[in-house]
Amino acid sequence: MRVVIHGSELSAATAAAALAWVGHHVIWRPLGSRWQELRHSGWLQGEPMVGQRLDEALASGHLKIDENGPLPKASVDVLWLALSPRQRDEAPSLVESEAECLSEGAILINNATFPVGDTERLEALLADRGVAAVALPDILEEGRAWETFTRARRWLLGCDDQRAEHQVRELMRAFNRRHEVFQRMPKRAAELTKLAINGMLATRISYMNEMAGLADTLGVDVEYVRQGMGADPRIGYEYLYPGCGFGGPNFSRDLVGLADVQSASGRHSELLDQVLEINERKKETLFRKLWAYHHGRLEGLKVAIWGAAFKPGTARIDQAPVLPLLRALWAQGVHVYLHDPVALPAVREVVGDHPLLTLCHGEPIDACQQVDALMLVTEWKAYWNPDWEALKSGVSGRLILDGRNIYDPDYVASQGFVYRGIGRRAEPQ
């Protein structure tokens, strides 16, 4: 099929690479960005497979980057929108400008996370051309974008037209051979379901973080609580891991989008307000543990932080816990030595050159030279099994603050450290 993709998000880049990879003829229009800038962006370079597949598709001729050139009439079978929410206002004019190039029987695929009802509004702009629109909400996971697109466990397909459904299935047939991945429903239902899923996941995380705080107060190891809850088949283990807060461009803005939908419908959600508030508080939990350990006397301390990205596998720090943590530490005069495998350029871009920040580009242990504490913020695999003897000589304060509960508290204590996790600590000997 002949596909035109608009957008400069990871979802647009992945769709362009994947659809061209399986033989479709794809034109990618990175709205608001130039290809050369995108190609060297940290988030694209750090995303496994996507950049490589884009280069292969460009070399094969199945993919072309066309930032603003006119297209021949009736030359496009699929118009794919993968815009960011901030580009929502541009979508109507973009759709109208591409109307002439759509072939008979073409479809519009809205892959963007816009407010509920926007797919219908975009379809109305093309009503006189008989173009059907479907909602196919973005399901990508940063750090696993290629895998989640090409081997999706499911797609929510908001579609009210049998012909349009058939066209989507044909477009995505190469990725739908192992098992049925499409769950069809009305357009508005698909748009709301995408927001509702992330709202539920965020609620589970925040609830587990509340339980971790309570476990800390009661002297209970939250790991027992997590395992007991997860073993209940009505609950399960997914998203029951307490931590120092979630971030990310998609997850966070989907929550805000769901809250906006609630407000616009006159149904203000106190639950979502609480979920977001708990998450923001949790981003400073490691700071509060450091404060409590040192009885508020933090000025002049040196702290190593492992991990800046909002999750492993990505270079992004959008709404990442490390940002409020840095601000809280600097406000108390704490010097931070920060290590991350790929996200340090993004940190520098956001915070600039700060006198109390040293970015450590080498090995993780390089950030731990005569520091008073080590904080684990992002659970990169490189941090899971450190050289404890080397850490012992570098972390003079012998304090490990584990924001992701990846270490065994008793083992860390046996290595001569004081361990504090999220609802976890070493058993007294």
Side-chain angles (χ1 to χ4, degrees), residues 232-343:
D232 189 318
R234 297 169 299 177
I235 298 174
Y237 290 99
E238 294 296 322
Y239 285 79
L240 279 191
Y241 292 92
C244 56
F246 58 79
N250 297 329
F251 203 51
S252 300
R253 74 190 178 198
D254 281 0
L255 290 181
V256 173
L258 182 55
D260 289 344
V261 168
Q262 290 267 41
S263 297
S265 67
R267 301 173 60 87
H268 179 74
S269 174
E270 294 184 6
L271 175 60
L272 282 179
D273 287 347
Q274 286 294 311
V275 167
L276 291 166
E277 183 182 337
I278 290 169
N279 188 56
E280 289 308 306
R281 288 203 313 265
K282 214 63 184 178
K283 291 179 181 180
E284 291 190 1
T285 190
L286 295 185
F287 169 78
R288 292 194 293 272
K289 289 179 180 293
L290 183 71
W291 176 280
Y293 185 80
H294 286 281
H295 306 288
R297 295 187 290 272
L298 302 185
E299 187 171 2
L301 292 184
K302 297 179 180 179
V303 170
I305 293 180
W306 282 357
F310 77 88
K311 62 177 284 188
T314 181
R316 291 189 191 251
I317 61 169
D318 307 61
Q319 290 86 46
V322 76
L323 297 174
L325 177 58
L326 287 173
R327 289 192 290 268
L329 291 169
W330 293 338
Q332 298 298 317
V334 178
H335 194 111
V336 177
Y337 297 82
L338 177 62
H339 181 274
D340 187 282
V342 297

Side-chain angles (χ1 to χ4, degrees), residues 8-9 21 38 56 59 89 99 101 104 111 126 161 166 183 201 227 230 264 297 299 308 371 379 406 417:
S8 53
E9 299 278 290
W21 179 56
L38 286 177
E56 292 172 358
D89 292 342
C101 74
E104 183 179 354
N111 185 232
L126 299 171
D161 183 280
H166 180 75
Q183 184 175 0
L201 297 180
Q227 291 184 16
R297 295 187 290 272
E299 187 171 2
V371 296
E379 65 274 30
I406 68 171
F417 293 91

Side-chain angles (χ1 to χ4, degrees), residues 182-199:
F182 289 105
Q183 184 175 0
R184 180 179 167 179
M185 58 185 68
K187 290 193 267 298
R188 287 181 174 236
E191 292 166 332
L192 180 56
T193 300
K194 164 65 190 308
L195 298 176
I197 288 172
N198 279 348

Side-chain angles (χ1 to χ4, degrees), residues 388 391-393 395 398-400 412-419:
W388 294 105
L391 274 183
K392 199 178 297 183
S393 63
V395 183
R398 301 293 176 88
L399 176 62
I400 305 291
V412 175
S414 73
Q415 300 301 304
F417 293 91
V418 176
Y419 176 90

